[in-house]
Amino acid sequence: MRNGFPSTSDTTVLVLDAAPPTPPPRLGGLTGRARVLHADGDTLAERLPLADVLLVWDFSSDAVRRAWPGAGPRPRWVHTASAGVDHLMCPELAASDAVVTNARGVFDQPIAEYVAALVLAMAKDLPHTLELQRERSWQHRETRRIAGTRACVVGSGPIGRAIAGTLKALGITTALVGRTPRTGVHGPADLDRLLTRADWVVCAAPLTDDTRGMFDARRFGVMQPSARFINIGRGPLVVEDDLVAALAKRWIAGAALDVFEREPLPADSPLWTAPGLLVSPHMSGDTIGWRDELGSQFVELYEAWEAGRPLANVVDKERGYVPGH
């Protein structure tokens, strides 16, 4: 043991793999330094007691929540290749001594760029332009200038801050809302007031007991009729039926969702045909090479763990996110 951690020779890293065609992580940097085992949702419970470290590569699976309460020893460290940790947290993991880390830093700027693309697409009516092109229909229209508009970004973590910075670069006056008020960040008490003035509402909050369902009929009702809503946080942050109703009643002008209560989105979901809604398949942070970046990040964290150094990106298991932002 070194500083309370297993020595290199007896360290086992267990990877919760994603289903094909998603490739396994590239962990060549661990060759000769750790034994790497693999599991899927069906075999995780039986292999979990063998692991010193668990890498949750399948960040859409709830297998960890199901397997962790079982019998036997548990890993000292759990890393998820995602920003959110709601898919793996359970009371037993939260109460354990296991350290949980996330992929903070990998997705910040890609998601910010995606949000900017959505804002531009909606302001410039690009979806309608593509529809008209398919119909070979020449219809001149006027579009909206985004410089001088207002945005409210809900979620003051690295992703929310990157979104705010990118929108400000486009000339959008941006307010950032977080769990606690501080310099440059509004608290929850200011949210409704900011929503009434916002042209763009971007949800980038973590999923916790406090934030689940935070965007509901009441919140959509206080927004301007010209406002657009974007969710790149977690699907359950939004009451989806309320959003469909708000769009149908024209309480808001449009929306874009990249995350959903159920994924993949069922073919019979009313979200597919909701007026003014752009649907994308949870891809806002996934740029070319993103999986390699996630694998490299884990290897770097492993090197710190192996040496007994403090880990970066440590999640507060009660709050459900990395504190200090």
Side-chain angles (χ1 to χ4, degrees), residues 56-60 78-89 100-111 157-160 163 204-208 232-234 259 282 284-286 290 294 297 313-316 319-323 325:
V56 184
W57 192 246
D58 185 359
F59 48 78
S60 65
V78 178
H79 176 76
T80 179
S82 61
V85 299
D86 50 277
H87 58 290
L88 58 86
M89 292 305 299
V100 176
T101 57
N102 71 355
R104 179 185 183 189
V106 173
F107 301 106
D108 306 355
Q109 193 55 38
I111 291 178
I159 292 174
I163 292 169
L207 179 60
T208 67
I232 50 76
R234 284 290 179 267
V259 288
H282 204 149
S284 61
D286 302 348
W290 66 287
L294 287 171
Q297 181 189 54
N313 296 4
V314 174
V315 172
D316 183 317
R319 295 182 182 181
Y321 54 85
V322 178
H325 55 260

Side-chain angles (χ1 to χ4, degrees), residues 8-55:
T8 303
S9 59
D10 60 9
T11 299
T12 297
V13 175
L14 179 63
V15 181
L16 175 60
D17 286 323
T22 300
R26 289 182 159 183
L27 300 178
L30 301 186
T31 302
R33 302 167 62 181
R35 180 174 64 144
V36 178
L37 301 179
H38 293 265
D40 58 21
D42 295 328
T43 60
L44 179 65
E46 66 184 60
R47 297 184 183 179
L48 201 57
L50 305 175
D52 301 296
V53 180
L54 174 63
L55 168 57

